[in-house]
């Protein structure tokens, strides 16, 4: 992590983007091009699929970086040009092992830092796999821990400015999937999952990505989903203490050879 935090002035607005990059080493050039054209202050990445040592060095772009990766799967990162301090990788989340009798080790699914006085988290919520799979119970427990964390306050009794952003692997509404019947009996749309998103709002956060509620953020590589616009909206941002003013999905980033199956989601905030 490169130390540039002392060199910026506090901003009254912030542009924050989240992007499931689906292998950062494969798409390093795309990340660099996105940073150059998007004018984002903070970029949160998920599914980097590399260890900390393997994560590319973006310091020449003017962004500080923090990454949490343990293996060739999962992995999360924050790139910030407005400060990057007090980096954390735990908020009380549970671990997981398919052998439920084994030690449940934490996965590399969360990294948070103070950026321009705002606590920003890049989150890769567990997929859940299937409703009867232990990974589904793990997903719900992980989200319960996130909601509990969001309710915490500082010693003065006030809650810090907070943005929870990333691949939540949940579509908040039926309208956020191209065909609700296709998801019948599957994860991502169940009442138990959606209840966990409501819990974040009950904790005082606003779903900032309601600004792009008419746009999908993920299209599977299979069955020509992108070409048919058969997508889902699962890349979200929840904010407290900031006012979301505008948002967009960089759909063009999903086009062309070598694209991630997710598009970047960008929200402009007043801080």
């Amino acid at each position: 992590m490169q130390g540039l935090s002392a060199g910026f002035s506090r901003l009254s607005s912030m542009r924050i983007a989240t992007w499931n990059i689906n292998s950062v080493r494969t798409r390093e050039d795309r990340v660099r091009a996105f940073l150059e054209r998007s004018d984002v202050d903070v970029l949160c990445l998920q599914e980097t699929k590399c260890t900390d040592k393997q994560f590319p060095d973006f310091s020449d772009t003017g962004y500080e970086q923090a990454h949490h990766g343990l293996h060739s799967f999962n992995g999360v990162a924050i790139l910030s040009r407005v400060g990057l301090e007090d980096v954390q990788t735990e908020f009380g989340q549970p671990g997981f092992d398919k052998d439920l009798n084994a030690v449940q080790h934490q996965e590399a699914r969360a990294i948070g830092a103070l950026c321009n006085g705002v606590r920003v988290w890049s989150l890769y919520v567990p997929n859940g796999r299937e409703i009867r799979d232990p990974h589904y119970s793990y997903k719900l427990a992980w989200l319960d821990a996130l909601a509990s964390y969001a309710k915490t306050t500082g010693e003065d009794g006030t809650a810090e400015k907070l943005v929870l952003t990333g691949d939540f692997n949940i579509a908040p509404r039926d309208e956020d999937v191209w065909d609700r019947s296709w998801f019948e009996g599957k994860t991502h749309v169940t009442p138990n999952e959606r209840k966990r998103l409501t819990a974040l709002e009950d904790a005082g956060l606003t779903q900032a990505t309601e600004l792009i509620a008419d746009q999908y953020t993920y299209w599977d590589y299979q069955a020509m989903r992108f070409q048919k616009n058969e997508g889902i909206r699962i890349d979200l941002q929840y904010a407290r203490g900031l006012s979301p003013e505008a948002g967009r999905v960089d759909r063009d980033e999903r086009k062309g050879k070598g694209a991630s199956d997710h598009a970047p989601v960008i929200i402009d905030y007043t801080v």
Side-chain angles (χ1 to χ4, degrees):
M1 181 172 61
Q2 285 72 32
L4 305 175
S5 295
F8 79 94
S9 300
R10 186 62 59 87
L11 303 176
S12 59
S13 63
M14 286 179 69
R15 176 170 290 174
I16 299 177
T18 182
W19 188 7
N20 180 318
I21 193 64
N22 192 16
S23 179
V24 67
R25 289 179 293 170
T26 301
R27 299 180 173 87
E28 178 180 350
D29 289 345
R30 282 182 174 264
V31 173
R32 290 179 173 277
F34 176 78
L35 291 173
E36 185 174 348
R37 73 172 183 273
S38 65
D39 197 32
V40 296
D41 296 303
V42 180
L43 171 60
C44 295
L45 299 173
Q46 301 87 42
E47 245 191 313
T48 58
K49 295 185 176 180
C50 65
T51 65
D52 292 345
K53 289 183 178 181
Q54 294 170 325
F55 189 76
D57 182 1
F58 293 102
S59 59
D60 60 307
T61 65
Y63 289 78
E64 295 179 83
Q65 62 187 59
H67 177 261
H68 179 40
L70 303 174
H71 307 287
S72 59
F73 44 89
N74 301 326
V76 283
I78 300 176
L79 306 182
S80 172
R81 66 179 184 184
V82 293
L84 190 66
E85 301 172 337
D86 192 22
V87 175
Q88 301 175 8
T89 59
E90 297 183 18
F91 56 80
Q93 70 270 36
F96 179 77
D97 191 287
K98 61 183 178 180
D99 180 357
L100 299 181
N101 294 316
V103 176
Q104 306 295 292
H105 294 287
Q106 281 195 14
E107 299 179 304
R109 293 183 175 273
I111 190 167
L114 281 173
C115 306
N116 190 41
V118 178
R119 175 72 61 183
V120 179
W121 282 90
S122 178
L123 304 170
Y124 181 39
V125 175
N127 177 281
R129 299 175 185 168
E130 297 180 357
I131 294 173
R132 293 178 179 83
D133 193 292
H135 207 261
Y136 179 74
S137 298
Y138 165 54
K139 179 179 190 175
L140 299 182
W142 203 95
L143 288 162
D144 286 341
L146 183 63
S148 294
Y149 163 79
K151 294 177 183 177
T152 60
T153 60
E155 294 181 0
D156 60 355
T158 60
E160 65 181 345
K161 293 181 178 181
L162 179 66
V163 173
L164 305 178
T165 184
D167 179 356
F168 277 74
N169 273 313
I170 304 172
R173 314 166 304 157
D174 285 352
E175 294 84 357
D176 295 321
V177 299
W178 86 91
D179 182 353
R180 179 61 180 82
S181 64
W182 191 90
F183 285 86
E184 197 63 40
K186 298 182 175 71
T187 62
H188 290 53
V189 297
T190 66
N192 278 333
E193 291 168 295
R194 288 175 173 172
K195 186 186 301 183
R196 269 64 182 185
L197 295 184
T198 302
L200 296 178
E201 297 179 16
D202 292 343
L205 282 78
T206 298
Q207 190 202 136
T209 34
E210 286 184 348
L211 292 168
I212 52 99
D214 59 341
Q215 302 178 61
Y216 301 136
T217 66
Y218 165 87
W219 301 260
D220 196 292
Y221 290 128
Q222 305 299 318
M224 301 286 287
R225 296 290 188 211
F226 182 68
Q227 291 78 2
K228 298 174 184 176
N229 198 30
E230 295 178 346
I232 57 179
R233 183 173 73 99
I234 57 175
D235 301 274
L236 309 172
Q237 297 196 27
Y238 285 84
R240 180 180 64 215
L242 299 82
S243 299
E245 304 294 341
R248 67 183 179 90
V249 178
D250 188 352
R251 195 175 186 278
D252 287 343
E253 183 54 55
R254 180 59 177 81
K255 299 177 181 178
K257 184 178 180 180
S260 171
D261 43 5
H262 295 250
V265 176
I266 306 164
I267 302 292
D268 290 337
Y269 295 95
T270 298
V271 180

